[in-house]
Amino acid sequence: MKSLTSKDNPQYRELKQLASSSAARRKSGQSVLDGIHLCQSYLEHIDVPLLCVVSEASQHHPEVAAIMGECERRGGKCLLLTDSLFHPLSQVENGIDILFLIVTPVHEDCPELTQTGVLLDRIQDPGNLGSILRSAAAAGIRQVFCSPGSAAVWSPRVLRAGMGAHFLLEVFEDVSLEKLIETAKIPVIATTPYTKKTIYDFDLNRPVAWLLGHEGRGVDERLMVMASDKLVIPHMGAMESLNVAACAAVCFFEQVRQCR
């Protein structure tokens, strides 16, 4: 295993840029997985990373040692950094010092809507996006389509909120949701407070596409008109609406309930 001790090392400078710059990650086509859970999930569901990076303090941690051993067994590369070099690379507070550098998965050929999926219209908060991906994966959904203006799916904050969901999904970015809805072979359901028909009154024991919108402005009016059905989540109390990530979870798991 290679060790680095100088902040002036070219490889370290490149790692630091990738860890801190979304533009650098987009240009290189690479992403950074920060923390032991994401690294374990990637290794289990996808492949070995381009590079496994650990600190001196964490190298003997049992889970880190197991990940390093598995990476090396499968032909991967590991890099050991001093603690002072590692910490500027990580955004995880009080975590275990391990990073993966990976090739960012890209799904370019956008399929027609024929199976249950999620259409996200300008979801901008990384925590919301990651939470929606996590709920989708937990509900057995496989495909998520994000419109232009959505948060970057492979940003560190979305990855942390997703807790490994990225590796169980096909996530398509910068998708024209209008075109996707036009060719949909299944019902497209938009959530809105301006209807009396609830998700509990609708037959969800079949594939559907869930259309969820911007945190403040909701689903774009053009998309709302195109949706085949509009449903509301009934709730009690004085709150006007649910957070979009909470709304998504309720919808997904009502479908799970009906399908069971």
Side-chain angles (χ1 to χ4, degrees):
M1 178 172 57
K2 182 179 179 180
S3 299
L4 289 183
T5 58
S6 172
K7 63 182 178 60
D8 296 320
N9 183 280
Q11 186 178 17
Y12 178 74
R13 289 203 302 267
E14 181 180 358
L15 276 173
K16 192 172 182 181
Q17 187 176 32
L18 289 170
S20 61
S21 169
S22 59
R25 291 191 294 270
R26 285 195 302 271
K27 184 177 180 180
S28 68
Q30 297 175 342
S31 295
V32 176
L33 308 183
D34 192 350
I36 195 162
H37 182 78
L38 284 177
C39 293
Q40 287 174 330
S41 296
Y42 184 84
L43 198 58
E44 177 182 357
H45 297 293
I46 307 298
D47 201 354
V48 295
L50 296 173
L51 186 65
C52 172
V53 185
V54 301
S55 71
E56 290 178 341
S58 70
Q59 64 177 317
H60 299 301
H61 184 282
E63 290 177 293
V64 171
I67 290 172
M68 291 169 58
E70 181 66 10
C71 286
E72 292 180 332
R73 185 185 70 80
R74 292 162 59 180
K77 297 179 181 179
C78 296
L79 180 66
L80 181 66
L81 301 180
T82 62
D83 296 350
S84 61
L85 289 183
F86 185 94
H87 292 157
L89 304 181
S90 176
Q91 298 178 18
V92 176
E93 295 183 8
N94 303 317
I96 300 170
D97 297 343
I98 184 168
L99 297 170
F100 274 7
L101 181 64
I102 67 168
V103 175
T104 304
V106 177
H107 301 286
E108 295 180 347
D109 297 326
C110 189
E112 289 186 335
L113 286 172
T114 59
Q115 60 179 283
T116 293
V118 185
L119 281 58
L120 300 179
D121 177 28
R122 299 162 299 142
I123 303 298
Q124 296 184 330
D125 182 83
N128 282 337
L129 179 52
S131 294
I132 292 170
L133 297 181
R134 185 176 181 182
S135 293
I141 296 170
R142 291 288 302 167
Q143 295 179 335
V144 178
F145 304 87
C146 301
S147 74
S150 301
V153 168
W154 293 92
S155 70
R157 286 181 63 193
V158 176
L159 280 161
R160 289 199 301 277
M163 291 293 289
H166 289 68
F167 314 131
L168 300 172
L169 298 165
E170 294 179 348
V171 186
F172 302 84
E173 295 190 86
D174 296 321
V175 175
S176 170
L177 299 186
E178 291 93 338
K179 293 181 180 178
L180 197 61
I181 295 172
E182 284 176 353
T183 61
K185 309 299 184 187
I186 57 177
V188 176
I189 301 173
T191 55
T192 174
Y194 305 111
T195 183
K196 293 184 178 180
K197 191 173 184 180
T198 78
I199 63 169
Y200 308 119
D201 302 323
F202 192 80
D203 178 13
L204 296 172
N205 192 16
R206 53 178 170 161
V208 301
W210 294 104
L211 175 58
L212 302 162
H214 182 274
E215 287 88 347
R217 297 187 290 275
V219 175
D220 184 274
E221 187 58 34
R222 293 171 299 172
L223 299 175
M224 185 67 75
V225 170
M226 297 176 70
S228 51
D229 295 278
K230 301 170 183 64
L231 304 179
V232 65
I233 298 173
H235 57 279
M236 302 173 66
M239 294 302 297
E240 292 183 0
S241 63
L242 294 174
N243 167 278
V244 66
C247 174
V250 172
C251 291
F252 300 163
F253 284 95
E254 171 58 15
Q255 185 178 20
V256 169
R257 186 193 69 82
Q258 291 193 25
C259 289
R260 288 171 66 93

